[in-house]
Amino acid sequence: LLGLANTRDASDQFLFSGFQSGTQPFSRTPGGFSYNGDDGQRFIQVSTSRKIPDTNSGDEIFARIREGNGQVLVSPSGANTGTGVAVNEVQTRVQGYDFATFDVVFLDAENYEVRDSLGAVVSSGTFASGDSIAAGPARVRIDGQPAAGDMFSVGPAPNRDVFSIVDEIAQALATDSNDATTRAELNSAVNRGLEGIDRALERVLEIRTSIGSRLAAAESQLDTNLGTELVLQEALAGVEDLDLAEAASRLAAQASALEAAQQSFIRVQSLSLFNFL
C-alpha cells in the first residue's frame, strides 16, 4: 500500500504529493505513518477557458479515512475483562448526530448505564448478547457477555490513514489470544479494522468516480477541439492553396453580379404608381 501511494508518473514525479511532486508523499515513522505533501491539485488546460484537475492529494485519498461507520466509532476499553465485542450497527449516517461522546458502562453482566462525557447517566437498561444499545442518536450492538465494569465508548469517528488501519489488523492477528477475553479483544480489533478498510474502499471508489467524470469531460473537450481544428485547417487550406488566377476571375464575376444587383435594386426602388399617371 505504501508503495502504491508513493507511485511516480512517467516524468518521475510523485502522483499523490499535491504541489510537492518531488517529495515522497508517505513515509513510515516511529509513531505510524506521515504525509509529506500538501493538498494542492494540479490542473490541465484543455481549452482557452477550461481546466480539468488531473490529481488528488494523497492525504485526501489515503489519510483522511473516517473510521467506524464513517461518522460514529465504538471502542472497547482496554481494561475490559468480559467477552463483549462491539459492532457499529448503523451503517448509514446518523441524522442530527451532534458528535457527542457517550460511554456504555456495564454494572454487571445484565445491566448497563449510558453516561455522557461528564459522567452523568442519560439512560440505563438490561442487556442480552446481541442487543442494540442507544447512545445518544447513535446505536451500537454488543455481542458476547461483558463483565461488570466493562465499558464501550461511542463517539465521533476519527480520521485515520489506511496504512495504520491495515497495520493494526496485522498486529492484532499476531497477538496471542488464548482465552475468551483476549479473543474478544482480537475480534474487536479486527472488526474495527475491517470497518476502516470498508471506509477506505469507499473513499477510493469516490475518487475513481471523480476521475471517471474528469476523463469523460476531457474526452468530450478533445472531440470539440478536434472539430475546431478541422474547421481551422479547412480555412487555412482555402487560403494557402488558393489559385490566384481562378480567384481573380471569380472575384470579377462576383463584383459584376453585385453591381448588377445594386443597379436592379435602384431601378426597383424608384418605381411608383405616380410615374404612370
Side-chain angles (χ1 to χ4, degrees):
L1 278 174
L2 199 62
L4 289 173
N6 290 331
T7 298
R8 299 172 184 260
D9 61 17
S11 302
D12 204 35
Q13 300 294 302
F14 289 101
L15 286 176
F16 305 116
S17 292
F19 290 146
Q20 310 299 319
S21 56
T23 301
Q24 178 176 299
F26 289 98
S27 57
R28 183 185 288 271
T29 65
F33 301 85
S34 65
Y35 178 63
N36 308 309
D38 57 30
D39 287 332
Q41 191 171 47
R42 291 173 289 180
F43 288 80
I44 298 174
Q45 188 89 32
V46 295
S47 73
T48 56
S49 60
R50 188 177 191 184
K51 295 180 180 179
I52 294 179
D54 74 333
T55 60
N56 290 82
S57 72
D59 189 49
E60 179 185 4
I61 301 172
F62 301 104
R64 294 202 294 262
I65 309 299
R66 296 294 294 271
E67 289 192 279
N69 65 6
Q71 189 179 41
V72 180
L73 176 68
V74 182
S75 303
S77 169
N80 287 358
T81 58
T83 61
V85 177
V87 179
N88 282 289
E89 184 177 60
V90 180
Q91 297 302 315
T92 56
R93 303 295 184 265
V94 178
Q95 296 297 324
Y97 183 62
D98 59 1
F99 299 100
T101 299
F102 297 89
D103 292 324
V104 179
V105 180
F106 283 85
L107 306 178
D108 52 46
E110 298 179 350
N111 296 278
Y112 68 87
E113 292 180 343
V114 178
R115 302 172 184 173
D116 62 18
S117 58
L118 299 178
V121 177
V122 295
S123 65
S124 60
T126 57
F127 171 80
S129 178
D131 280 357
S132 174
I133 298 175
R139 302 189 69 84
V140 57
R141 190 182 84 239
I142 298 178
D143 297 332
Q145 192 61 64
D150 284 3
M151 183 172 69
F152 298 84
S153 296
V154 183
N159 283 335
R160 297 292 302 281
D161 60 79
V162 66
F163 318 108
S164 296
I165 292 172
V166 175
D167 195 42
E168 288 181 4
I169 293 178
Q171 292 180 24
L173 293 174
T175 302
D176 291 335
S177 53
N178 300 321
D179 53 51
T181 298
T182 55
R183 283 195 292 272
E185 293 175 355
L186 171 63
N187 289 336
S188 294
V190 171
N191 284 344
R192 176 173 178 171
L194 292 177
E195 287 175 341
I197 290 176
D198 285 341
R199 304 293 82 76
L201 289 174
E202 288 177 0
R203 174 60 54 80
V204 171
L205 288 176
E206 289 174 4
I207 299 297
R208 290 187 63 181
T209 300
S210 173
I211 292 173
S213 299
R214 295 180 219 161
L215 286 174
E219 290 173 357
S220 175
Q221 188 64 51
L222 176 61
D223 291 340
T224 300
N225 292 349
L226 290 175
T228 302
E229 183 181 10
L230 179 60
V231 171
L232 294 175
Q233 287 177 346
E234 291 176 349
L236 183 62
V239 174
E240 292 180 340
D241 302 335
L242 183 64
D243 185 332
L244 294 180
E246 189 272 336
S249 176
R250 188 167 67 249
L251 178 60
Q254 291 176 350
S256 297
L258 176 60
E259 184 179 358
Q262 290 173 337
Q263 291 297 326
S264 297
F265 177 74
I266 293 171
R267 293 290 299 276
V268 172
Q269 190 180 37
S270 64
L271 291 178
S272 171
L273 288 176
F274 292 100
N275 293 336
F276 302 94
L277 295 179

